[in-house]
Amino acid sequence: MATVVITAGTITVFGEAIVDPVLIVQKIENSVVNLIAAIVFIVATLAINIVANLVSPAYDLANAAPKHINFKKGTIITAILSVLVMPWKIYGSPVAVNYFLGGLGAFLGPIFGVMVIDYYLVKQQKVDVHSLYKEGATSLIGIKMGLTYRRWLPLLSDLFSLQLSH
């Protein structure tokens, strides 16, 4: 609703409909407003990126080894890995982008294949949701010694298939 009101207000103030918040702030000739807007844009960008790129892998790591990694440790590991991967180097070169996307496809393709075969052929499109949340030796995911071995098996088979392809 605020977007509609602000865009309608730009018609009255600037004589045209401006939907981009950065362009709206550019047209305001007040340094204090520009500074506050810049801080708001930075905080909003960080918040969105944290939710989109940090929370999910942190939970994934915590679920992969629940006895050894909690959400906080998963977040720290994800943050460190995100810097070590150096994405600014990857996106700086078109060749690197092609290699990265090719490697990503080669890595995720077999995982997707295992998931599809498991769902359609092994489980015959039936999932016991209750058993996904059980703990102990009778659980579907099989946590032993703090590690979920059944979750790592498709990843290991994927890595093995990548080695065979080279």
Side-chain angles (χ1 to χ4, degrees):
M1 182 70 178
T3 306
V4 174
V5 172
I6 291 170
T7 302
T10 60
I11 296 171
T12 306
V13 175
F14 302 116
E16 61 180 324
I18 304 172
V19 294
D20 187 359
V22 176
L23 295 177
I24 294 171
V25 171
Q26 265 183 341
K27 292 207 176 246
I28 299 172
E29 296 176 2
N30 185 334
S31 320
V32 176
V33 172
N34 287 338
L35 179 66
I36 292 171
I39 292 169
V40 168
F41 290 151
I42 290 170
V43 170
T45 303
L46 286 173
I48 293 297
N49 281 308
I50 286 171
V51 170
N53 301 320
L54 191 71
V55 173
S56 177
Y59 274 123
D60 291 343
L61 289 170
N63 287 328
K67 277 194 177 178
H68 304 291
I69 301 173
N70 59 13
F71 178 72
K72 185 176 180 181
K73 286 181 186 175
T75 303
I76 292 169
I77 292 168
T78 302
I80 291 169
L81 287 176
S82 70
V83 173
L84 291 178
V85 169
M86 294 188 293
W88 56 91
K89 295 263 188 192
I90 293 172
Y91 292 113
S93 162
V95 174
V97 170
N98 281 339
Y99 279 125
F100 176 75
L101 292 177
L104 185 66
F107 183 72
L108 293 179
I111 290 176
F112 180 72
V114 167
M115 291 170 60
V116 168
I117 294 298
D118 180 58
Y119 179 71
Y120 284 106
L121 297 181
V122 176
K123 293 189 173 69
Q124 297 180 352
Q125 301 179 12
K126 295 177 186 155
V127 177
D128 184 9
V129 177
H130 185 315
S131 66
L132 291 173
Y133 296 96
K134 286 198 295 190
E135 293 183 29
T138 60
S139 74
L140 183 65
I141 55 175
I143 297 175
K144 293 179 183 169
M145 295 179 2
L147 296 173
T148 54
Y149 293 101
R150 292 181 189 161
R151 290 183 184 175
W152 289 96
L153 190 61
L155 177 64
L156 294 175
S157 68
D158 182 28
L159 294 174
F160 180 72
S161 69
L162 280 174
Q163 284 298 327
L164 290 178
S165 67
H166 284 98

